[in-house]
Amino acid sequence: MDQYRTGRVENAGGVAIHRAVVEGAAQGGVALPAGADVAGFAGITQEAQVLGRPVSLKRRGVTAAVAAAGVARGDYVNIADALGRMKSCNADVIAAPGPALVVHVVGKALSAATNLGDVFEMEINEFVVNRAAS
């Protein structure tokens, strides 16, 4: 899989830089996610862009991302909200057996973020944790 790709922005308000986007409704389209921990990760935006224009995306490797809350260096991260910000999902990934759980991990934080809106460095390494109920 290529490290970079482009996608045509489907959101009326466009997309901001360093945000997670998912596959859009149209072929080659990308959109902000509908909410937290969703499937269909398309990449992290490498620029801001408006509706209908192509946006550069990072699919693999190291990139900057915007935090929705504090993230510790080394935490697994996933999509936090409909603005494409990221949150720690470490507790869910390494949790003890419990109720059924599906986590769509996007990558791992290489630096920390303290507050909402902080930009941090992450390595994209997408995988799904599917824990059966115990």
Side-chain angles (χ1 to χ4, degrees), residues 35-59:
D37 194 22
V38 295
F41 174 73
I44 302 288
T45 59
Q46 300 300 293
E47 61 187 336
Q49 195 52 273
V50 298
L51 172 68
R53 301 286 302 163
V55 63
S56 297
L57 305 171
K58 185 91 178 242
R59 280 286 299 147

Side-chain angles (χ1 to χ4, degrees), residues 27-86:
Q27 176 77 24
V30 295
L32 288 169
D37 194 22
V38 295
F41 174 73
I44 302 288
T45 59
Q46 300 300 293
E47 61 187 336
Q49 195 52 273
V50 298
L51 172 68
R53 301 286 302 163
V55 63
S56 297
L57 305 171
K58 185 91 178 242
R59 280 286 299 147
R60 294 278 179 258
V62 177
T63 189
V66 176
V71 174
R73 188 173 139 255
D75 278 4
Y76 291 106
V77 294
N78 67 354
I79 297 172
D81 57 28
L83 296 177
R85 296 179 294 206
M86 306 300 287

